[in-house]
């Protein structure tokens, strides 16, 4: 436990000094806020922008940040220095995930101030945000383990993150894309972010992602061992 | 600790390692005992870093490699706490300050923060604690990595070319620190292609060439063995230079020069590890 706390403290200090990753964490809430302010005259803009950017936030940010942190640890040799200090690889992954989830939830909570929520819908909102971020973090970890360095990891993480961030939004304008977007975990959560409740689908689709990605992570971890 | 003698901290038996079909280590065997400073000396590409990676459990190998009587393939966190390492890639967090880098490891090893100041002092970085690592010079990074390696007072320290690229005075400070660690019973395993460093610092050295150990032992003894007949370098008054074996057979020739008053300078060439290495392998050491 003391090791995980040590790693979390390190990660907080490091990320606060890492401008690009800070930007990714606040960009979607910030843009949503600006859009709502800019269109103040029109009714219901918060109902459009909050779900849209919340879905992007919980899919893009955790995915890119987790793959970035992990691949940087590998590239800079810091991961190796941790392992040589007796830190297990699993603890590195756990502390990284905790950090990403907490920071995405904290910055994502800004959405709660931009639109009216009841206690009930706010709770659903937070649950969806957390689950979406968890699935994204799993994808990010897989990419981080698979990639040799930061450049390779970003080359994978950014397009994958964009697919999950943008498909749900594009699905609003195009029937064909909507059919595909239904099968993305981010697309499912969009409905919850719009104020809907969890349904069978909004539970099953992300759950399927979660299980499949956990298995993929395990396989990659076994094969690559984070070297 | 099994059937290995209590004193043996590192033991290698017939260790091999290949990358693809290229055999980089071809059956390495030796032991390092407690409190020794052991040097692995060899030219670039000899396999020094590869061997350190094997000993620290970062690479698998053929044969048998053990530290503290445990196979290097199965070093657990308990054992990692007894070793420290300064590797060629320092593995420091660039955006964090020196202090924050050391605090992380102090927390991991559960050592009091007061040790951090001490460690920084020892490597001469007491003033730079709040500097970010990316603002440090190469030598300072190297010293910070050393501070990190000694923070938890390990029993065994690996150093991969600890002084390469450092200015002579910094290198001397690091040498002093190594001697101090040794006096407290720490075992040090270092690699280098600097023969002076190996000669002055190491109790024993292994000369590594193309994945094989060509000589092993105390550096001074190795030199004595291989350079029993030393060479006299002679310069005559008319500028002629000659090399003569320092043996009775050549006494008359030297005496003749002296009688004729043609002897301008004479000195014996000290046998050094570089000459030994050249003699054994036909290759230069520091190339
Ligand atoms: N991961 C790897 N994959 C393929 N070849 C490797 C790998 N690591 C090392 N080698 C090869 O093994 C040989 C020995 O490398 P090593 O790094 O151990 O040399 P070294 O003695 O440390 O040299 P230097 O003094 O330059 O650090 C080199 O020829 C190198 O190309
Ligand atoms: Mg090397």
């Amino acid at each position: 436990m003391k090791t995980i706390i040590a790693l979390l403290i390190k990660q907080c200090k490091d990320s606060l000094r890492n401008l690009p990753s800070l930007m990714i964490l606040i960009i979607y809430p910030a843009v949503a806020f600006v859009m709502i302010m800019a269109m103040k005259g029109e009714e219901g803009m918060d109902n459009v922008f909050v779900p849209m950017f919340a879905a992007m936030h919980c899919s893009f940010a955790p995915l890119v940040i987790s793959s970035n942190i992990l691949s940087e640890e590998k590239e800079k040799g810091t991961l190796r220095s941790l392992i040589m200090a007796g830190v297990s690889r699993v603890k590195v992954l756990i502390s990284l995930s905790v950090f990403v989830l907490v920071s995405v939830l904290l910055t994502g909570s800004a959405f709660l101030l931009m639109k009216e929520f009841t206690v009930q819908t706010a709770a659903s909102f937070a649950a969806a945000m957390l689950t979406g971020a968890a699935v994204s973090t799993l994808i990010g970890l897989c990419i981080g383990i698979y990639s040799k360095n930061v450049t390779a990891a970003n080359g994978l993480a950014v397009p994958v993150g964009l697919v999950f961030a943008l498909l749900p939004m594009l699905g609003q304008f195009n029937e064909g894309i909507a059919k595909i977007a239904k099968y993305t975990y981010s697309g499912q959560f969009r409905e919850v972010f719009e104020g809907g409740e969890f349904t069978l689908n909004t539970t099953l689709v992300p759950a399927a992602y979660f299980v499949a990605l956990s298995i993929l992570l395990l396989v990659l971890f076994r094969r690559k061992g984070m070297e | 600790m099994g059937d290995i003698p209590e004193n043996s901290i590192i033991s290698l038996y017939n260790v091999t390692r290949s990358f693809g079909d290229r055999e980089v280590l071809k059956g390495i065997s030796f032991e390092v005992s407690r409190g020794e400073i052991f040097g692995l000396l060899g030219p670039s590409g000899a396999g020094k870093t590869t061997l350190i990676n094997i000993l620290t459990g970062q690479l698998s190998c053929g044969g048998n490699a053990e530290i503290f009587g445990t196979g290097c393939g199965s070093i657990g966190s308990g054992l990692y706490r007894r070793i420290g390492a300064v590797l060629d890639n320092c593995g420091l967090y660039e955006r964090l300050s020196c202090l924050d880098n050391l605090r992380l490891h102090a927390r991991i090893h559960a050592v009091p923060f007061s040790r951090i100041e001490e460690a920084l002092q020892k490597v001469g970085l007491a003033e730079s604690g709040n500097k970010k690592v990316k603002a440090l010079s190469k030598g300072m990074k190297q010293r910070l990595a050393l501070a990190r390696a000694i923070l938890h007072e390990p029993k065994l320290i690996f150093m991969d070319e600890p002084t390469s690229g450092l200015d002579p005075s910094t290198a001397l400070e690091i040498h002093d620190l190594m001697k101090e660690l040794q006096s407290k019973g720490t075992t040090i395993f270092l690699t280098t292609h600097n023969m002076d460093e190996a000669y002055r610092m190491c109790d024993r050295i292994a000369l590594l060439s193309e994945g094989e150990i060509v000589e092993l032992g105390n550096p001074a003894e190795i030199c004595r063995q291989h350079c029993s007949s030393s060479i006299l370098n002679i310069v005559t008054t008319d500028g002629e230079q000659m090399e003569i074996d320092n043996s009775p057979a050549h006494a008359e020739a030297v005496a003749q020069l002296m009688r004729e008053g043609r002897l301008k300078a004479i000195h014996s060439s000290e046998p050094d590890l570089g000459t030994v290495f050249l003699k054994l392998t036909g290759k230069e050491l520091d190339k």
Side-chain angles (χ1 to χ4, degrees), chain A residues 2-3 5-7 9-11 13-15 17-19 72-89 227, chain B residues 49 52-53 56 58 76-77 80-81 83 85 87-97 100 103-105 107-110 132 134 148:
Chain A
K2 69 170 198 300
T3 308
I5 290 171
L7 291 174
I9 295 173
K10 177 271 296 176
Q11 195 57 57
K13 285 178 180 166
D14 192 52
S15 290
R17 292 175 177 86
N18 187 354
L19 205 61
E72 187 176 10
E73 293 260 17
K74 291 207 301 189
E75 181 178 326
K76 294 276 160 71
T78 47
L79 179 63
R80 191 162 164 220
S81 73
L82 291 178
I83 291 170
M84 302 251 280
V87 178
S88 73
R89 294 164 170 84
E227 289 310 319
Chain B
T49 303
I52 284 210
N53 286 343
T56 52
Q58 310 294 304
S77 59
Y80 273 127
R81 310 231 153 159
I83 67 180
L87 304 179
D88 45 358
N89 178 350
C90 294
L92 298 162
Y93 290 94
E94 299 262 322
R95 286 183 290 267
L96 297 184
S97 67
D100 281 337
R103 281 188 192 124
L104 167 65
H105 282 257
R107 287 195 181 97
I108 291 173
H109 292 301
K132 285 192 185 160
K134 63 178 159 201
R148 186 184 60 189

Side-chain angles (χ1 to χ4, degrees), chain B residues 51-279:
Chain B
L51 193 56
I52 284 210
N53 286 343
I54 287 171
L55 286 171
T56 52
Q58 310 294 304
L59 269 183
S60 60
C61 68
N64 194 18
E66 295 185 351
I67 61 174
F68 297 109
T70 304
C72 290
S74 52
I75 303 177
S77 59
L79 204 51
Y80 273 127
R81 310 231 153 159
R82 294 167 69 183
I83 67 180
V86 187
L87 304 179
D88 45 358
N89 178 350
C90 294
L92 298 162
Y93 290 94
E94 299 262 322
R95 286 183 290 267
L96 297 184
S97 67
C98 298
L99 278 174
D100 281 337
N101 268 285
L102 295 184
R103 281 188 192 124
L104 167 65
H105 282 257
R107 287 195 181 97
I108 291 173
H109 292 301
V111 299
F113 278 6
S114 60
R115 278 275 183 77
I116 294 177
E117 282 299 320
E118 257 172 64
L120 281 176
Q121 200 102 45
K122 277 189 182 152
V123 299
L125 285 178
E127 313 283 286
S128 310
N130 287 313
K131 274 201 191 138
K132 285 192 185 160
V133 170
K134 63 178 159 201
L136 301 182
S137 69
K138 180 170 187 272
M140 290 164 98
K141 281 184 196 167
Q142 195 95 356
R143 281 185 281 158
L144 181 58
L146 184 55
R148 186 184 60 189
I150 60 174
L151 197 59
H152 55 297
E153 300 188 326
K155 294 275 170 273
L156 170 62
I157 300 185
F158 292 98
M159 298 183 173
D160 197 357
E161 307 198 8
T163 56
S164 83
L166 300 191
D167 63 274
S169 72
T170 315
L172 277 183
E173 279 170 36
I174 290 191
H175 288 164
D176 288 344
L177 182 55
M178 282 161 68
K179 287 284 186 200
E180 188 191 325
L181 289 167
Q182 181 186 31
S183 71
K184 289 183 186 152
T186 314
T187 309
I188 299 178
F189 184 98
L190 75 119
T191 73
T192 179
H193 41 196
N194 179 338
M195 53 196 176
D196 295 328
E197 176 170 87
Y199 195 92
R200 268 186 301 121
M201 295 304 301
C202 300
D203 301 307
R204 284 193 310 143
I205 56 165
L207 292 180
L208 188 67
S209 171
E210 298 191 339
E212 280 172 297
I213 296 212
V214 292
E215 190 56 275
L216 179 83
N218 177 275
E221 270 166 30
I222 289 179
C223 286
R224 228 173 293 137
Q225 261 172 32
H226 288 274
C227 308
S228 51
S229 62
S230 73
I231 306 266
L232 294 178
N233 289 311
I234 291 173
V235 184
T236 61
T237 42
D238 32 298
E240 195 185 342
Q241 292 190 15
M242 29 184 154
E243 285 184 359
I244 295 180
D245 263 358
N246 187 1
S247 63
H250 296 96
E252 191 49 41
V254 179
Q256 182 65 28
L257 283 174
M258 289 174 87
R259 272 188 231 110
E260 292 169 8
R262 285 173 58 211
L263 192 65
K264 187 175 172 199
I266 177 167
H267 59 93
S268 64
S269 74
E270 295 295 323
D272 68 10
L273 290 171
T275 351
V276 174
F277 196 83
L278 189 64
K279 196 168 153 189

Side-chain angles (χ1 to χ4, degrees), chain A residues 204-219:
Chain A
L204 277 186
V205 172
Y209 271 91
F210 195 87
V211 172
L213 286 165
S214 302
I215 294 171
L216 178 63
L217 183 65
L218 204 68
V219 171

